[in-house]
Amino acid sequence: MIWNEAKECMSRDEIESLQSARLVKAVNRVYHNVEYYRKKMQAKGLEPGDIRGIEDLHKLPFTTYEDLNATYPFGLAAVPKSELVRLQASSGTTGKPKIAVYTRRDIDIWSECAARCMTMAGITRDDIIQVGYGYGLFTGGLGAHYGAEHIGALVVPMSTGNTQKLVTMMVDCEVTAIACTPSYLLHVAETLRDQGLLDKIKLKVALCGAEPWTDNMRSQMEELLNIKAFDIYGLTEICGPGVATDCEYHKGLHIWEDHFLPEIIDPVTGEQIDSSEYGELVITTLTKEGMPLLRYRTKDLTSIDKTPCECGRTMARIQRFKGRSDDMLIIRGVNVFPSQVEAALLTIDGTTPHYMMVVDRKDNEDTLEVQVEVEERFFSDEIKELEALSNKIKATLKTAIGLNAKIKLVEPNGLVHSEGKTKHVTDNRKLYEK
Amino acid sequence: MLAKQVTVFIENREGRLCEVLEILKENDINVVGASIADTSDFGLFRMIVNEPQKACDALKAGGIMSKLTDIISVVVPHKAGSLEKVLKVINEAGINIEYMYGMSSQNSDAAIAIKTEDLEATQALLEKHKLTE
Ligand SMILES: [Zn+2]
């Protein structure tokens, strides 16, 4: 099923002329309403008239996390605050969250995009869907919720944190669809199996996102739960879940090009490259009112396939991600930068001890261990003092990154200190296809 | 009397304790008392040695961090009730004992190393009760 055939199946020519028209409008809007963008464009000697269509996209300045940080919190808003109805946020690299603000129309378009994704996964008004993403500043919960409600499905807003309740309700309420992170779904599947409930569920489909996953994980969950699993992509800065999803042919994620203009750049030089080549995904929002973004660098590495898909949709497909061009980690669906951990450790005693983040996946749940060297200033002859130190680090990290980490105190010089840039992350998970 | 204890932080991994003792042996340092306190991840190896500062320096040179802390050593004669007598005095004064362990003494008596929350007060107390040599 296709939610909006008129849009999802437009010819490539129609898509591109619509994008061009919308890009021209979007550039005009930010130039006149966002001082920061106006200055950025002026610095490149650009006026709105220089952008006549998508062929001129490459002339526009990029938007990066640094720009969001410099304009935090409302510097990129293109409408008066009275027009804004929502704020969402995700973690940034240095403590300041990445904020996105939305007008009522932005929320409507977000719902429309999420509805297209839901429909692509085969979810209809007849389904009962559990949303197992966190509700709150994180876009996952509310994004999936609005999309599912928009198509008329019965939404069960589970949020995160209570697997037993989720499993019980899945059985009792005959839930047919679920939206959550892939690793959490595998955890749910194992809980169902361990409780002998696998043949008591009516689940048909899962819409998984917020972290990278592999085809191997897909077949694992499809087999275990006897369902179809789909990949949904989104990012707070653009709108959250609903930017792209894969169809039943699983040949990449259809991105809603009438609202989000994708391009691929060389992450090192910043040059636009042929979108069929691997590089960094850059997205320009075409219809955003609250916080339109020009050429936002997602840091996600992928390529784009514009050939028609067997499902009938013409919207381009972004391919499986090959990694990131920065050091962001996604742990249990939460974005974590090593720099956040570093900044948090700094607050413990004024200087940063040597540390190492070890990320792993055990029983389909991400684990984070932070190893901290016990330097002389921390050292005590009493166990309770060291345990207090460990608890303090744990609490500080929980506040900073929103995750419970296992703290392991290690001997001074117990971690590898390489010359120059010390390696701070060991990720033992296999998240990306080779 | 007040004495210096050498404390070493060790990760719970095979052979680490031996490495520490090997360094002490090579530097001709005699260990007269020792205890290990551990958690699931790490342990504290506490020692009374004949030359504490030399021990610390040698360990440091061997890449192992240690720390000198004051403790009180008390001689306890080999007879029933002698340890109880010492602890009772400390307990009745309301002073918390952080940890204690056995060590050898100069003569044929036994001795204990005690760390309390207030070493000075403890020392004064033991002197008052003539429990120090
Ligand atoms: Zn398709």
Side-chain angles (χ1 to χ4, degrees):
Chain A
M1 276 227 338
I2 296 175
W3 177 255
N4 188 342
E5 204 168 328
K7 287 284 168 1
E8 294 176 54
C9 304
M10 282 193 269
S11 72
R12 290 303 309 172
D13 283 350
E14 284 175 309
I15 294 174
E16 283 170 14
S17 59
L18 179 65
Q19 287 176 326
S20 286
R22 287 184 168 174
L23 178 66
V24 169
K25 271 193 196 161
V27 168
N28 261 291
R29 211 162 45 232
V30 297
Y31 187 88
H32 292 111
N33 298 327
V34 185
E35 190 192 0
Y36 190 80
Y37 271 129
R38 183 161 60 246
K39 285 189 175 149
K40 269 193 107 146
M41 284 178 63
Q42 282 166 347
K44 293 195 109 194
L46 280 177
E47 281 183 20
D50 295 327
I51 309 300
R52 281 156 310 203
I54 51 174
E55 66 278 8
D56 295 322
L57 181 64
H58 66 97
K59 296 179 185 166
L60 288 166
F62 288 117
T63 308
T64 61
Y65 169 67
E66 286 68 37
D67 294 311
L68 299 187
N69 204 34
T71 55
Y72 174 91
F74 298 118
L76 290 182
V79 296
K81 282 206 193 74
S82 56
E83 296 294 314
L84 298 172
V85 298
R86 177 80 67 74
L87 182 153
Q88 304 275 169
S90 71
S91 44
T93 46
T94 50
K96 280 269 197 289
K98 287 184 240 181
I99 275 184
V101 285
Y102 306 73
T103 63
R104 191 169 301 282
R105 184 162 168 270
D106 291 338
I107 299 278
D108 290 344
I109 288 173
W110 183 11
S111 305
E112 153 79 16
C113 290
R116 290 183 196 176
C117 296
M118 294 267 166
T119 308
M120 192 164 6
I123 300 168
T124 70
R125 55 179 297 124
D126 298 324
D127 280 294
I128 302 177
I129 179 170
Q130 281 179 314
V131 176
Y133 291 116
Y135 279 67
L137 287 175
F138 173 55
T139 50
L142 288 162
H145 185 106
Y146 277 50
E149 216 168 66
H150 194 52
I151 62 171
L154 170 52
V155 188
V156 188
M158 297 306 306
S159 197
T160 52
N162 195 335
T163 307
Q164 188 55 55
K165 189 181 265 179
L166 184 139
V167 161
T168 307
M169 290 187 77
M170 183 182 280
V171 173
D172 295 349
C173 306
E174 302 192 335
V175 167
T176 53
I178 187 168
C180 63
T181 64
S183 54
Y184 185 62
L185 185 62
L186 278 170
H187 177 64
V188 167
E190 279 164 359
T191 308
L192 286 162
R193 185 192 57 199
D194 295 347
Q195 299 183 6
L197 296 172
L198 278 177
D199 56 357
K200 300 261 185 313
I201 56 167
K202 297 275 191 290
L203 200 67
K204 295 182 314 195
V205 53
L207 198 46
C208 297
E211 65 188 18
W213 49 306
T214 58
D215 284 332
N216 183 32
M217 284 176 77
R218 189 202 302 276
S219 34
Q220 227 184 314
M221 61 177 73
E222 287 190 337
E223 236 166 81
L224 200 53
L225 293 166
N226 191 23
I227 57 163
K228 294 272 174 238
F230 297 83
D231 193 358
I232 185 165
Y233 174 71
L235 55 172
T236 307
E237 307 86 295
I238 303 299
C239 81
V243 174
T245 297
D246 60 349
C247 63
E248 69 265 35
Y249 295 96
H250 301 307
K251 287 186 178 155
L253 283 69
H254 289 285
I255 176 166
W256 307 124
E257 291 181 275
D258 48 338
H259 298 294
F260 316 112
L261 176 57
E263 64 180 309
I264 300 291
I265 62 159
D266 178 325
V268 180
T269 64
E271 290 294 315
Q272 191 181 61
I273 58 174
D274 189 301
S275 63
S276 63
E277 283 175 46
Y278 265 96
E280 184 182 324
L281 176 66
V282 171
I283 296 176
T284 299
T285 62
L286 293 175
T287 50
K288 260 288 193 71
E289 293 177 338
M291 199 176 106
L293 295 179
L294 297 181
R295 305 189 82 198
Y296 184 70
R297 294 189 59 166
T298 66
K299 307 281 178 181
D300 287 315
L301 300 175
T302 183
S303 63
I304 298 174
D305 185 351
K306 290 182 178 165
T307 59
C309 182
E310 290 165 77
C311 71
R313 291 179 184 84
T314 50
M315 295 270 156
R317 284 161 292 151
I318 46 181
Q319 301 303 297
R320 271 290 160 101
F321 294 112
K322 289 222 166 159
R324 288 185 57 84
S325 61
D326 65 4
D327 56 1
M328 187 181 89
L329 295 157
I330 304 177
I331 304 171
R332 282 172 241 153
V334 178
N335 297 351
V336 179
F337 291 94
S339 53
Q340 287 177 286
V341 170
E342 191 155 333
L345 290 174
L346 182 67
T347 66
I348 302 280
D349 192 36
T351 50
T352 310
H354 286 288
Y355 70 96
M356 172 68 89
M357 300 166 65
V358 182
V359 190
D360 212 330
R361 184 164 283 176
K362 286 173 188 141
D363 300 328
N364 294 310
E365 275 200 293
D366 290 338
T367 59
L368 169 63
E369 177 177 281
V370 179
Q371 302 176 344
V372 182
E373 284 191 3
V374 179
E375 289 165 21
E376 212 156 341
R377 62 206 159 97
F378 295 137
F379 189 29
S380 165
D381 60 317
E382 291 178 26
I383 293 277
K384 67 174 183 199
E385 303 259 335
L386 290 168
E387 283 181 335
L389 170 69
S390 168
N391 289 337
K392 189 176 173 192
I393 295 173
K394 191 182 169 82
T396 308
L397 285 181
K398 167 86 188 174
T399 309
I401 62 175
L403 282 175
N404 275 314
K406 178 186 187 313
I407 308 301
K408 186 178 183 189
L409 300 179
V410 299
E411 288 173 24
N413 305 310
L415 302 175
V416 182
H417 304 167
S418 56
E419 297 283 316
K421 203 168 188 253
T422 309
K423 188 172 174 266
H424 285 303
V425 178
T426 305
D427 194 340
N428 296 320
R429 300 172 298 177
K430 289 181 185 67
L431 297 180
Y432 299 103
E433 307 282 351
K434 291 265 162 60
Chain B
M1 62 174 197
L2 283 175
K4 293 281 182 203
Q5 164 187 281
V6 178
T7 311
V8 181
F9 179 92
I10 41 173
E11 283 167 39
N12 291 347
R13 60 185 162 92
E14 216 174 313
R16 194 58 174 157
L17 204 52
C18 283
E19 286 170 35
V20 172
L21 292 170
E22 223 169 272
I23 291 174
L24 297 179
K25 180 189 80 180
E26 276 162 16
N27 286 276
D28 211 20
I29 290 161
N30 184 27
V31 181
V32 299
S35 89
I36 290 178
D38 68 340
T39 69
S40 53
D41 288 330
F42 65 87
L44 288 178
F45 184 31
R46 306 181 182 118
M47 290 170 286
I48 307 296
V49 299
N50 60 341
E51 290 177 275
Q53 191 57 55
K54 186 180 164 193
C56 272
D57 296 344
L59 288 168
K60 189 171 187 178
I64 293 171
M65 188 187 60
S66 62
K67 182 177 181 146
L68 289 181
T69 358
D70 288 329
I71 51 106
I72 295 174
S73 72
V74 188
V75 172
V76 282
H78 281 296
K79 61 177 187 202
S82 58
L83 179 58
E84 188 264 357
K85 201 161 139 191
V86 175
L87 296 191
K88 195 173 174 185
V89 165
I90 299 173
N91 182 39
E92 280 174 355
I95 299 172
N96 278 324
I97 294 175
E98 306 290 357
Y99 55 81
M100 57 172 273
Y101 53 94
M103 58 182 277
S104 65
S105 71
Q106 309 288 3
N107 48 45
S108 62
D109 289 327
I112 49 164
I114 305 181
K115 168 78 184 279
T116 65
E117 58 182 344
D118 188 341
L119 286 177
E120 268 179 44
T122 311
Q123 180 65 11
L125 191 68
L126 294 175
E127 271 165 19
K128 196 177 118 195
H129 287 82
K130 312 238 177 313
L131 287 167
T132 49
E133 323 143 80

